[in-house]
Amino acid sequence: MCGILGYFRKNYAIDPNLGSTMLSMLQALGRRGPDSAGVAMVGPAHPAAYIVRLQAGDELEMSKQAIETNREAVQIFAGALDGASDLSCSGVYVRFVLAGDVDLPALTRALESLGQGIRVLSIGHAMELSKEVGTPNLLEAMHHISAFAGTHGIGHTRLCTESMVDLSHSQPFWGRGAADVAIVHNGHITNYHQLRRKYEQRGVGFVTENDSEVLAVYLAESLNRGETLRQGLDGVLRDMDGAFSCLAVTATEMGFVKDPYAFKPLVMAETDDFVAVATEEIAIRSAIPGDYKVSEAQVEEVRVWSR
């Protein structure tokens, strides 16, 4: 099952209703994925700084004391960094802003080495990623995503079919090592193990056993090579086997790729004001009033919208 969605505002620099629109879309898809819900949303940019979001542990797998120890370790580490500011904590999450040039892989490794269970969720100049085990309503209660103002974003409601139900395996997935990149995915990548072995032989690490993670790794490498999001999604269509629909965002773009079999549903609406993409039409109609056409994405279709 699973549900994926994306929303891209065309005609406003910052949309104060981005978060509330995406929450409504998530709630409409909640029955497709009761196991977890998450969003990656793009807000006001910090060109000279990075927004760092991470989890200090998983409440389903770790004691409160262990999570608290991890959270304190992250706070101490972040507080000692030159250029760090706006440090805040909420539940298992820690967020801070880091100014200056940053080696993203090195920073990620340093943070995750502070304690078992610490995972970097996202790093970017504008994108912030939030997810929770449970329903979209729980995601809202914990992170107040409806108050987020921004330009575009993607979301996911998960029904676990293979890998475990926990925070790390929930979506979206950050493209580790690349700023402002995230994906959501519905389907199966059947050559996942082959692709993962090739990455691991090159020293690329994985956080989960979820086949969706390989899409994030793939797009991060593509963008770090200087390719466009469109080129990266074309590559997904070329190199990934299986039945899938995938949505991706960067700081300035949103796009999707549809598999060669069109087994996984995906519909879209586009007007002069917005683009909305979702697994089901109800997610678009229930969140966005107006008179517009909703059409089905086609076999092997790749679309990208840029600001």
Side-chain angles (χ1 to χ4, degrees):
M1 294 283 283
C2 293
I4 64 174
L5 61 95
Y7 183 73
F8 184 94
R9 194 73 185 180
K10 289 182 175 180
N11 61 344
Y12 295 112
I14 295 295
D15 180 3
N17 299 316
L18 174 68
S20 60
T21 299
M22 293 195 64
L23 176 61
S24 295
M25 295 178 77
L26 277 175
Q27 290 169 330
L29 293 180
R31 61 189 174 79
R32 293 188 65 92
D35 292 333
S36 67
V39 291
M41 296 189 290
V42 178
H46 298 67
Y50 291 90
I51 306 164
V52 182
R53 289 183 61 85
L54 59 131
Q55 65 183 70
D58 194 316
E59 292 173 323
L60 299 179
E61 302 170 0
M62 299 172 62
S63 68
K64 290 184 179 179
Q65 182 178 357
I67 293 173
E68 179 64 27
T69 299
N70 282 349
R71 192 165 52 222
E72 290 178 358
V74 172
Q75 289 177 279
I76 293 170
F77 178 89
L81 292 172
D82 291 336
S85 63
D86 298 335
L87 179 65
S88 62
C89 298
S90 176
V92 301
Y93 285 87
V94 182
R95 176 191 186 273
F96 62 93
V97 176
L98 184 59
D101 294 330
V102 175
D103 183 329
L104 298 189
L107 177 62
T108 301
R109 289 192 298 269
L111 286 166
E112 294 182 343
S113 69
L114 295 173
Q116 185 175 0
I118 297 175
R119 292 287 179 267
V120 176
L121 293 176
S122 64
I123 302 177
H125 297 291
M127 186 190 78
E128 301 198 42
L129 193 153
S130 301
K131 52 187 178 181
E132 283 292 337
V133 174
T135 66
N137 289 337
L138 179 59
L139 179 72
E140 167 67 3
M142 294 297 293
H143 301 280
H144 310 293
I145 64 171
S146 62
F148 192 93
T151 54
H152 57 292
I154 54 176
H156 188 273
T157 60
R158 183 178 183 226
L159 177 67
C160 176
T161 56
E162 294 181 2
S163 55
M164 65 193 300
V165 178
D166 66 4
L167 205 53
S168 294
H169 285 80
S170 304
Q171 296 189 42
F173 281 119
W174 172 47
R176 291 166 66 86
D180 298 299
V181 184
I183 67 98
V184 291
H185 164 239
N186 175 31
H188 293 89
I189 306 299
T190 54
N191 61 337
Y192 158 71
H193 292 289
Q194 177 187 5
L195 293 168
R196 176 168 175 154
R197 282 194 299 271
K198 290 181 178 179
Y199 280 119
E200 290 177 332
Q201 288 168 1
R202 301 202 329 256
V204 177
F206 284 73
V207 175
T208 73
E209 300 297 324
N210 191 322
D211 62 334
S212 304
E213 189 180 0
V214 77
L215 288 159
V217 171
Y218 184 96
L219 284 178
E221 282 210 342
S222 172
L223 294 170
N224 279 340
R225 287 196 302 267
E227 296 180 355
T228 64
L229 180 60
R230 173 62 195 240
Q231 289 171 323
L233 293 174
D234 284 339
V236 167
L237 190 59
R238 179 185 65 243
D239 296 331
M240 304 281 176
D241 295 334
F244 57 84
S245 295
C246 174
L247 271 161
V249 288
T250 70
T252 58
E253 295 180 302
M254 183 182 81
F256 72 78
V257 56
K258 196 85 168 62
D259 70 78
Y261 310 103
F263 288 157
K264 296 298 179 180
L266 195 69
V267 297
M268 59 168 286
E270 181 172 9
T271 71
D272 292 339
D273 295 327
F274 71 87
V275 177
V277 186
T279 306
E280 295 185 26
E281 184 173 348
I282 190 174
I284 302 175
R285 296 288 186 191
S286 63
I288 309 167
D291 182 16
Y292 52 82
K293 178 182 179 181
V294 177
S295 58
E296 188 171 357
Q298 299 302 300
V299 171
E300 297 187 329
E301 186 171 3
V302 177
R303 295 284 301 274
V304 173
W305 293 268
S306 301
R307 298 195 66 80

